[in-house]
Amino acid sequence: MQTLIFNTTEKTIVAYEGSSKTGIIICKYESVPTVKIYDGYYEVKQKDEDEKTYPVARFPVSATNMFIEK
């Protein structure tokens, strides 16, 4: 199980190993406009300096808790 924290104000994602924020950080992303559900995965998209978005990571919905924060 892993935990994904999406901060909508700061536009950041932090992924933790385990089911809470106290686990080991797997990865961090900035400039994340959205997280979409795509084919059974949470797909993290990042925005570049040209304002183009591209996928940077996918996390399986069945093995991921996702929390959305302001």
Side-chain angles (χ1 to χ4, degrees):
M1 184 64 65
Q2 49 201 354
T3 301
L4 191 63
I5 309 293
F6 178 34
N7 186 306
T8 59
T9 304
E10 295 176 5
K11 304 291 186 195
T12 59
I13 290 283
V14 180
Y16 296 89
E17 184 179 301
S19 59
S20 71
K21 292 182 186 182
T22 60
I24 297 169
I25 294 176
I26 299 170
C27 59
K28 293 181 185 180
Y29 294 103
E30 296 180 356
S31 300
V32 176
T34 190
V35 175
K36 293 187 177 184
I37 296 177
Y38 177 77
D39 203 22
Y41 292 89
Y42 293 117
E43 185 173 73
V44 178
K45 292 193 172 194
Q46 197 170 41
K47 194 176 276 192
D48 64 13
E49 56 274 346
D50 295 329
E51 298 297 311
K52 294 181 183 178
T53 60
Y54 54 95
V56 292
R58 286 186 179 164
F59 300 91
V61 170
S62 61
T64 307
N65 295 320
M66 184 170 80
F67 296 99
I68 302 169
E69 298 179 341
K70 280 187 158 185

